[in-house]
């Protein structure tokens, strides 16, 4: 695993998303995850929906199931799943700003609950869920082995797990490590990025049977040039963006540069995006 040179605690991750709350939603929307371009002609909204649909298909949901969304963000994905798949969703985030927005945007009759809770120390009951998804959240957790042992604990026997993960290439060049992956970890408040081999090993050790590993890196990489361009345009047009970038109290303003690193990391193959599907044995 490629580790950050700067420790990233739960509070660091929460502050990252709280400080960047408005920027994430204005630049990319409520999903807060990559888009998946299948035809290459999709809008960014259609692409983010494609990724969600891929996760839902792999989770094999059916009405009446209970789903845990680990790292639910603003709850947009959870709300759509609860509405369309007729399942009960429990979404977890470490960001109070995200949780407040998720609760405020959720109709009272929708079976979707959002909690501020650290997955590594979660209070979910054992064998409570039929399925679990984690879309780009495991990167923020230091103890990756515990991520999956907790998933195995809260899932029922035969329960499904779908993980969308940012990964480091198995064979990084030294310059890619130094100038791309490690800074991305540090600036994105991620303790470290694992590899495909490591993720598979952690899942297997936790008692999962890994059934599918899909590398969609080329299909998601367009996310970051779009984000970077939108950020540049808004910075030129909105004084509030400039004030945010110049304010030393906003220690997450460096993420403006991270977007460019991510763009280059995908372009050079230093970074990969993989969707894992697994079943609890």
């Amino acid at each position: 695993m490629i580790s950050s040179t700067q420790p990233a605690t739960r509070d660091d991750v929460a502050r990252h998303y709280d400080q960047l709350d408005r920027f994430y939603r204005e630049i990319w929307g409520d999903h807060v995850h990559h888009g998946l371009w299948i035809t290459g002609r999709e809008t960014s909204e259609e692409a983010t929906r494609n990724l969600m649909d891929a996760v839902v298909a792999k989770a094999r949901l059916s009405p009446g199931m209970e789903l845990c969304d680990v790292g639910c963000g603003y709850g947009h994905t959870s709300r759509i799943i609860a509405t369309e798949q007729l399942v009960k969703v429990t979404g977890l985030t470490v960001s109070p700003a995200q949780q407040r927005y998720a609760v405020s945007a959720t109709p009272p009759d929708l079976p979707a609950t959002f909690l501020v809770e650290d997955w590594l120390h979660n209070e979910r009951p054992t064998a409570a869920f039929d399925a679990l998804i984690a879309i780009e959240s495991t990167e923020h957790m230091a103890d990756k082995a515990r991520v999956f042992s907790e998933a195995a604990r809260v899932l029922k026997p035969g329960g499904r797990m779908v993980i969308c993960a940012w990964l480091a290439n198995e064979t990084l060049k030294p310059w890619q490590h130094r100038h791309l992956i490690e800074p991305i970890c540090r600036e994105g408040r991620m303790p470290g990025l694992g590899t495909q081999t490591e993720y598979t090993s952690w899942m297997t050790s936790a008692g999962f049977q890994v059934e599918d590993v899909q590398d969609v890196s080329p299909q998601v990489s367009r996310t970051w040039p779009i984000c970077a361009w939108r950020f540049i345009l808004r910075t030129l047009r909105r004084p509030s963006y400039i004030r945010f970038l110049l304010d030393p109290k906003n220690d997450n303003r460096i993420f403006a540069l991270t977007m460019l690193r991510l763009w280059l990391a995908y372009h050079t193959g230093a970074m990969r995006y993989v969707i894992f599907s697994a079943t609890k044995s």
Side-chain angles (χ1 to χ4, degrees):
M1 186 169 73
I2 305 301
S3 298
S4 171
T5 56
Q6 179 178 313
T9 66
R10 164 189 166 157
D11 290 341
D12 293 330
V13 176
R15 189 171 67 255
H16 172 86
Y17 284 102
D18 287 352
Q19 285 187 2
L20 298 175
D21 172 57
R22 190 188 69 173
F23 298 93
Y24 274 126
R25 286 191 281 117
E26 287 185 356
I27 291 171
W28 193 241
D30 286 354
H31 272 297
V32 200
H33 61 62
H34 281 67
L36 179 69
W37 278 264
I38 297 173
T39 68
R41 297 185 296 273
E42 295 94 341
T43 64
S44 58
E45 291 77 14
E46 291 168 339
T48 53
R49 175 66 196 230
N50 283 346
L51 183 66
M52 189 205 76
D53 287 343
V55 170
V56 169
K58 291 174 184 294
R60 300 176 190 169
L61 301 174
S62 59
M65 283 186 169
E66 294 211 19
L67 169 71
C68 186
D69 184 355
V70 179
C72 62
Y74 302 107
H76 192 48
T77 298
S78 293
R79 284 189 292 276
I80 293 174
I81 292 175
T83 301
E84 297 182 357
Q85 304 299 316
L86 303 179
V87 301
K88 181 180 179 181
V89 182
T90 300
L92 307 180
T93 176
V94 297
S95 166
Q98 288 185 338
Q99 189 262 355
R100 286 193 297 270
Y101 183 89
V103 171
S104 68
T106 302
D109 59 341
L110 192 67
T113 303
F114 300 101
L115 305 171
V116 178
E117 195 164 284
D118 181 353
W119 176 247
L120 296 180
H121 305 282
N122 75 84
E123 299 178 2
R124 297 310 92 210
T126 297
F129 297 99
D130 301 285
L132 179 147
I133 63 174
I135 305 177
E136 303 171 28
S137 61
T138 60
E139 300 83 353
H140 291 296
M141 303 176 198
D143 189 346
K144 299 290 195 291
R146 185 175 176 85
V147 168
F148 299 111
S149 64
E150 281 299 296
R153 182 184 66 79
V154 305
L155 280 172
K156 299 173 183 178
R160 297 279 298 170
M161 178 177 72
V162 182
I163 305 291
C164 296
W166 302 12
L167 302 178
N169 195 308
E170 304 274 355
T171 55
L172 284 177
K173 297 178 175 64
W175 72 268
Q176 291 174 321
H177 183 158
R178 181 177 179 181
H179 297 293
L180 295 177
I181 300 303
E182 192 283 323
I184 286 171
C185 291
R186 176 169 20 93
E187 296 161 4
R189 306 302 184 242
M190 296 178 285
L193 290 185
T195 65
Q196 178 181 317
T197 298
E198 289 171 327
Y199 264 68
T200 302
S201 176
W202 289 320
M203 292 179 195
T204 303
S205 296
F208 286 96
Q209 179 180 348
V210 179
E211 298 176 350
D212 186 54
V213 178
Q214 184 181 8
D215 188 334
V216 294
S217 305
Q219 294 164 283
V220 304
S221 61
R222 287 179 59 183
T223 298
W224 294 107
I226 293 173
C227 285
W229 181 241
R230 288 178 180 176
F231 184 84
I232 291 169
L233 289 178
R234 281 166 172 78
T235 301
L236 294 174
R237 295 170 181 171
R238 298 189 183 182
S240 61
Y241 275 54
I242 297 175
R243 288 195 297 270
F244 177 85
L245 291 173
L246 295 178
D247 189 345
K249 292 186 296 184
N250 297 321
D251 55 344
N252 287 287
R253 57 188 175 158
I254 189 65
F255 201 70
L257 174 60
T258 310
M259 287 189 285
L260 299 177
R261 291 193 203 273
L262 284 160
W263 184 356
L264 186 58
Y266 277 118
H267 183 71
T268 62
M271 190 168 172
R272 299 174 60 208
Y273 191 106
V274 173
I275 306 176
F276 297 88
S277 306
T279 301
K280 179 180 174 179
S281 300

